[in-house]
Amino acid sequence: MPVSLSRLFVEASEVSKDADAVLNALESLLKILVQDLKSRNSRPYVIIDPKKCKELVVFGDIHGDLQTFIRLSNASNLDEVLSKGGYVIFLGDYVDRGPYQIETLVLLSMIKKYYGEKVILLRGNHEPPEWLPPYPHDFPYRLAERFGTNKAKEIYGVSQAIFEQLPLMTLLEGQALFVHGGPPITRSAYAKTPEELLSIDGDRVSIEEILWSDPDEIESEWKPSPRGAGKLFGKKVTERVLGILNIRMIVRAHEPCNYGFKFNHDGKVLTLFSLRGYPYFNVDAAILKIRPSEDPEWCIFPKVINYIITASGQKPSYNTLRF
Ligand SMILES: [Mn+2]
């Protein structure tokens, strides 16, 4: 049954005031995610058949910026997209930094509850494995401020279990790969099939590359990242990954962009950044809304620019591009 997102926004902010209500919401998200993982045979990635995907909205980093999230949901008619059976992919980084981290996680759990497999929550580096902590990671402190140490510990424990269940990648067959940071770089050097590239199991090198990497205009395949985790990957890696997967574009988040989006590698990598304000103060935030079944060529640059939606309502154009 369709549910109005604006009602969920109100509900989520109510729920977020009460520790037990938050626990409830997150525990039911955990159950759904466990079920999801089972139903895709424990694969760390989701596959979407574009023929069965009329509409798809994609969000980059949110980091607790609920106001921009609401604005972008309205601008993309997310409500209508979901109630008509369309998909939404969130590219990760829901918590840390922003003012409404708890509300964001609760809201996403509600949206997931209503729309099930059509809502894909990817893992970002701020939904970290214990062995790869990001900085800042203030989410546990925000929980403690609001709910006290004991409840905060309990809620954070469930959150960590949630993070472990989140898929790392989504493949929109024949069109695009969606990840938080980058593709599995090391594996792309020897993987021959999509299955070999994406079935990373518990491979920590791949997980780190997916969560932390950034594209860079370098000649070499890759170089170490100044972030201290992940890699900077060059166009050679991008082209190899596109070849193995038989797709046209990598869509990722992770990097602040002044206008909410940018392109690398001759338009073959699109970055989306969907929050505004502290600590980046970027001019604009952006998302993507495409029609994979109707227009499978959306991912051929520069056509994709027409499908970018900004928080300001400003139409994206060539002069906001950064190569
Ligand atoms: Mn990130």
Side-chain angles (χ1 to χ4, degrees):
M1 196 188 73
V3 63
S4 107
L5 282 184
S6 51
R7 208 188 83 206
L8 290 189
F9 295 145
V10 177
E11 240 175 81
S13 67
E14 277 307 307
V15 165
S16 302
K17 291 174 186 164
D18 180 73
D20 291 322
V22 170
L23 263 176
N24 248 325
L26 296 187
E27 270 160 6
S28 73
L29 173 60
L30 179 57
K31 271 190 204 140
I32 296 168
L33 293 173
V34 169
Q35 202 47 51
D36 271 10
L37 189 63
K38 256 191 214 154
S39 67
R40 55 171 199 272
N41 299 321
S42 298
R43 281 194 317 251
Y45 57 97
V46 178
I47 296 178
I48 301 178
D49 176 353
K51 290 193 283 305
K52 294 176 184 151
C53 184
K54 201 162 172 293
E55 284 191 299
L56 166 62
V57 177
V58 188
F59 282 80
D61 295 26
I62 299 172
H63 280 305
D65 178 8
L66 204 60
Q67 283 157 320
T68 305
F69 177 68
I70 292 171
R71 189 184 279 262
L72 287 168
S73 304
N74 291 335
S76 60
N77 279 321
L78 183 60
D79 226 333
E80 196 189 291
V81 170
L82 287 170
S83 61
K84 286 186 174 168
Y87 283 82
V88 59
I89 299 176
F90 295 96
L91 297 173
D93 281 10
Y94 314 118
V95 298
D96 291 335
R97 293 200 174 102
Y100 302 106
Q101 304 174 21
I102 303 166
E103 285 81 356
T104 299
L105 202 54
V106 168
L107 176 60
L108 292 175
S109 72
M110 288 175 165
I111 297 176
K112 176 74 183 164
K113 189 175 173 181
Y114 279 100
Y115 294 106
E117 60 170 13
K118 299 293 170 66
V119 177
I120 298 165
L121 301 166
L122 293 184
R123 189 175 198 169
N125 61 314
H126 287 266
E127 288 78 43
E130 268 177 280
W131 50 271
L132 199 58
Y135 183 83
H137 190 46
D138 56 313
F139 179 55
Y141 305 104
R142 299 286 93 85
L143 291 171
E145 270 168 14
R146 193 173 299 178
F147 303 125
T149 321
N150 289 338
K151 281 289 176 191
K153 260 192 195 145
E154 210 179 325
I155 297 171
Y156 189 65
V158 178
S159 305
Q160 282 179 304
I162 287 172
F163 301 161
E164 286 298 319
Q165 304 295 320
L166 299 175
L168 290 157
M169 300 169 278
T170 299
L171 178 66
L172 178 60
E173 285 179 316
Q175 298 184 13
L177 177 72
F178 301 85
V179 287
H180 181 68
I185 297 163
T186 306
R187 290 180 87 86
S188 73
Y190 58 84
K192 299 263 182 305
T193 64
E195 175 77 14
E196 276 170 12
L197 181 67
L198 302 179
S199 295
I200 57 167
D201 296 314
D203 168 19
R204 290 192 175 187
V205 172
S206 295
I207 295 171
E208 181 180 327
E209 287 169 351
I210 292 164
L211 296 181
W212 280 90
S213 297
D214 300 295
D216 201 302
E217 304 303 322
I218 43 175
E219 278 301 309
S220 58
E221 299 236 332
W222 60 268
K223 64 179 191 185
S225 169
R227 292 179 188 263
K231 297 177 173 70
L232 300 179
F233 61 99
K235 196 170 123 186
K236 280 179 192 158
V237 168
T238 293
E239 285 178 340
R240 202 165 54 207
V241 167
L242 299 186
I244 296 168
L245 297 176
N246 188 28
I247 55 171
R248 315 300 284 262
M249 184 174 283
I250 295 172
V251 180
R252 42 88 65 177
H254 192 45
E255 256 181 298
C257 314
N258 203 27
Y259 297 96
F261 70 98
K262 67 160 185 161
F263 290 95
N264 284 91
H265 303 166
D266 299 331
K268 292 175 178 129
V269 178
L270 166 63
T271 300
L272 293 172
F273 200 64
S274 310
L275 69 108
R276 290 198 286 190
Y278 175 83
Y280 306 106
F281 301 104
N282 42 306
V283 171
D284 213 338
I287 56 175
L288 184 69
K289 182 183 182 181
I290 52 177
R291 297 171 169 273
S293 57
E294 245 169 64
D295 184 8
E297 299 196 335
W298 66 269
C299 44
I300 301 173
F301 185 84
K303 195 173 187 183
V304 60
I305 299 169
N306 301 323
Y307 293 99
I308 291 171
I309 294 172
T310 62
S312 69
Q314 199 70 247
K315 244 191 143 13
S317 69
Y318 281 102
N319 50 23
T320 51
L321 296 179
R322 294 291 179 275
F323 278 101

